mmCIF file of all heavy atoms in Angstrom:
data_model
loop_
_atom_site.group_PDB
_atom_site.id
_atom_site.type_symbol
_atom_site.label_atom_id
_atom_site.label_comp_id
_atom_site.label_asym_id
_atom_site.label_seq_id
_atom_site.Cartn_x
_atom_site.Cartn_y
_atom_site.Cartn_z
ATOM 1 N N MET G 1 36.457 7.031 3.031
ATOM 2 C CA MET G 1 35.613 7.026 4.225
ATOM 3 C C MET G 1 36.419 6.479 5.390
ATOM 4 O O MET G 1 36.979 5.378 5.335
ATOM 5 C CB MET G 1 34.365 6.173 4.008
ATOM 6 C CG MET G 1 33.487 6.028 5.240
ATOM 7 S SD MET G 1 31.971 5.107 4.891
ATOM 8 C CE MET G 1 31.321 4.922 6.560
ATOM 9 N N SER G 2 36.480 7.250 6.485
ATOM 10 C CA SER G 2 37.266 6.838 7.639
ATOM 11 C C SER G 2 36.433 6.452 8.838
ATOM 12 O O SER G 2 36.950 5.850 9.779
ATOM 13 C CB SER G 2 38.221 7.972 8.036
ATOM 14 O OG SER G 2 37.475 9.142 8.382
ATOM 15 N N GLY G 3 35.146 6.801 8.872
ATOM 16 C CA GLY G 3 34.328 6.448 10.024
ATOM 17 C C GLY G 3 32.887 6.841 9.832
ATOM 18 O O GLY G 3 32.544 7.669 8.977
ATOM 19 N N VAL G 9 29.257 10.842 8.284
ATOM 20 C CA VAL G 9 30.347 10.131 7.633
ATOM 21 C C VAL G 9 31.578 11.029 7.641
ATOM 22 O O VAL G 9 31.510 12.193 7.230
ATOM 23 C CB VAL G 9 29.976 9.742 6.187
ATOM 24 C CG1 VAL G 9 31.136 9.050 5.505
ATOM 25 C CG2 VAL G 9 28.740 8.857 6.183
ATOM 26 N N TYR G 10 32.671 10.501 8.122
ATOM 27 C CA TYR G 10 33.937 11.225 8.162
ATOM 28 C C TYR G 10 34.810 10.738 7.008
ATOM 29 O O TYR G 10 35.053 9.536 6.854
ATOM 30 C CB TYR G 10 34.638 10.999 9.503
ATOM 31 C CG TYR G 10 33.916 11.642 10.666
ATOM 32 C CD1 TYR G 10 32.880 10.970 11.312
ATOM 33 C CD2 TYR G 10 34.245 12.922 11.093
ATOM 34 C CE1 TYR G 10 32.200 11.556 12.368
ATOM 35 C CE2 TYR G 10 33.570 13.519 12.150
ATOM 36 C CZ TYR G 10 32.545 12.830 12.785
ATOM 37 O OH TYR G 10 31.870 13.424 13.821
ATOM 38 N N LEU G 11 35.274 11.678 6.211
ATOM 39 C CA LEU G 11 36.034 11.381 5.004
ATOM 40 C C LEU G 11 37.470 11.854 5.169
ATOM 41 O O LEU G 11 37.732 12.876 5.829
ATOM 42 C CB LEU G 11 35.398 12.056 3.782
ATOM 43 C CG LEU G 11 33.918 11.743 3.530
ATOM 44 C CD1 LEU G 11 33.388 12.589 2.381
ATOM 45 C CD2 LEU G 11 33.726 10.272 3.246
ATOM 46 N N ALA G 12 38.387 11.113 4.581
ATOM 47 C CA ALA G 12 39.811 11.459 4.617
ATOM 48 C C ALA G 12 40.377 11.328 3.210
ATOM 49 O O ALA G 12 40.204 10.292 2.563
ATOM 50 C CB ALA G 12 40.569 10.554 5.588
ATOM 51 N N ALA G 13 41.044 12.381 2.740
ATOM 52 C CA ALA G 13 41.646 12.389 1.410
ATOM 53 C C ALA G 13 43.080 11.869 1.472
ATOM 54 O O ALA G 13 43.655 11.686 2.556
ATOM 55 C CB ALA G 13 41.609 13.799 0.821
ATOM 56 N N ALA G 17 43.632 15.745 4.119
ATOM 57 C CA ALA G 17 42.477 16.593 4.411
ATOM 58 C C ALA G 17 41.299 15.734 4.862
ATOM 59 O O ALA G 17 41.099 14.619 4.385
ATOM 60 C CB ALA G 17 42.099 17.412 3.181
ATOM 61 N N THR G 18 40.547 16.250 5.818
ATOM 62 C CA THR G 18 39.398 15.525 6.370
ATOM 63 C C THR G 18 38.142 16.363 6.210
ATOM 64 O O THR G 18 38.196 17.580 6.041
ATOM 65 C CB THR G 18 39.617 15.187 7.853
ATOM 66 O OG1 THR G 18 39.792 16.405 8.592
ATOM 67 C CG2 THR G 18 40.838 14.295 8.030
ATOM 68 N N GLY G 19 36.999 15.680 6.306
ATOM 69 C CA GLY G 19 35.709 16.349 6.201
ATOM 70 C C GLY G 19 34.623 15.508 6.830
ATOM 71 O O GLY G 19 34.810 14.310 7.099
ATOM 72 N N CYS G 20 33.485 16.129 7.098
ATOM 73 C CA CYS G 20 32.354 15.454 7.732
ATOM 74 C C CYS G 20 31.087 15.850 6.987
ATOM 75 O O CYS G 20 30.880 17.031 6.667
ATOM 76 C CB CYS G 20 32.241 15.832 9.210
ATOM 77 S SG CYS G 20 30.811 15.106 10.052
ATOM 78 N N VAL G 21 30.229 14.880 6.706
ATOM 79 C CA VAL G 21 28.989 15.136 5.979
ATOM 80 C C VAL G 21 27.919 14.193 6.503
ATOM 81 O O VAL G 21 28.227 13.093 6.996
ATOM 82 C CB VAL G 21 29.198 14.942 4.458
ATOM 83 C CG1 VAL G 21 29.518 13.493 4.136
ATOM 84 C CG2 VAL G 21 27.989 15.396 3.667
ATOM 85 N N LEU G 26 25.023 12.347 1.851
ATOM 86 C CA LEU G 26 26.047 11.709 1.026
ATOM 87 C C LEU G 26 25.435 10.708 0.057
ATOM 88 O O LEU G 26 25.725 10.727 -1.140
ATOM 89 C CB LEU G 26 27.069 11.019 1.928
ATOM 90 C CG LEU G 26 28.165 10.214 1.215
ATOM 91 C CD1 LEU G 26 29.038 11.137 0.374
ATOM 92 C CD2 LEU G 26 29.012 9.460 2.224
#
Side-chain angles (χ1 to χ4, degrees):
M1 176 176 172
S2 61
V9 178
Y10 292 85
L11 305 174
T18 60
C20 177
V21 65
L26 176 64

